[in-house]
Amino acid sequence: MSTINLIHISDMHYSGSAEDNRRLEALIKDINNQTSTASTYICFSGDLTKTGSEEQFDALLDNFFLEIENYAKIYTCAGNHDAVSYTHLTLPTIY
């Protein structure tokens, strides 16, 4: 039987600040360590961004999602903070 990892992340409230980017770097390292030995699925449930602005989503895409898409299958669900701009994203390889 093969091993899978399921990583659940909720309420990131990413704003694009330097502190948020440092946290993302640490999270990417943790995800990379977890994904080296098993198939990995990451579920983001709600409030990926702080205000739902396109700028926050674009930065989150560039600084995080594009960094981890090679490691894992990604599933997202928008939260109330995300509802403003969530539909503008075009993520062909991210589910």
Side-chain angles (χ1 to χ4, degrees):
M1 178 178 278
S2 61
T3 302
I4 65 166
N5 287 323
L6 176 60
I7 299 170
H8 177 232
I9 300 171
S10 182
D11 296 287
M12 288 178 56
H13 295 273
Y14 178 78
S15 68
S17 70
E19 179 62 27
D20 283 353
N21 288 326
R22 282 191 292 276
R23 289 179 184 152
L24 288 183
E25 288 175 16
L27 185 55
I28 290 168
K29 287 179 185 175
D30 286 344
I31 290 170
N32 187 29
N33 289 337
Q34 294 295 318
T35 60
S36 62
T37 59
S39 297
T40 300
Y41 300 85
I42 303 174
C43 177
F44 294 91
S45 59
D47 295 340
L48 297 166
T49 64
K50 186 170 184 171
T51 65
S53 72
E54 287 190 31
E55 293 81 12
Q56 289 174 355
F57 274 110
D58 288 342
L60 190 59
L61 178 65
D62 291 341
N63 296 323
F64 186 62
F65 284 113
L66 294 177
E67 295 290 326
I68 63 171
E69 72 175 343
N70 293 325
Y71 307 131
K73 292 285 188 186
I74 300 168
Y75 299 87
T76 63
C77 176
N80 63 312
H81 289 240
D82 305 319
V84 175
S85 297
Y86 191 75
T87 57
H88 95 280
L89 292 177
T90 53
L91 306 173
T93 60
I94 300 173
Y95 304 97

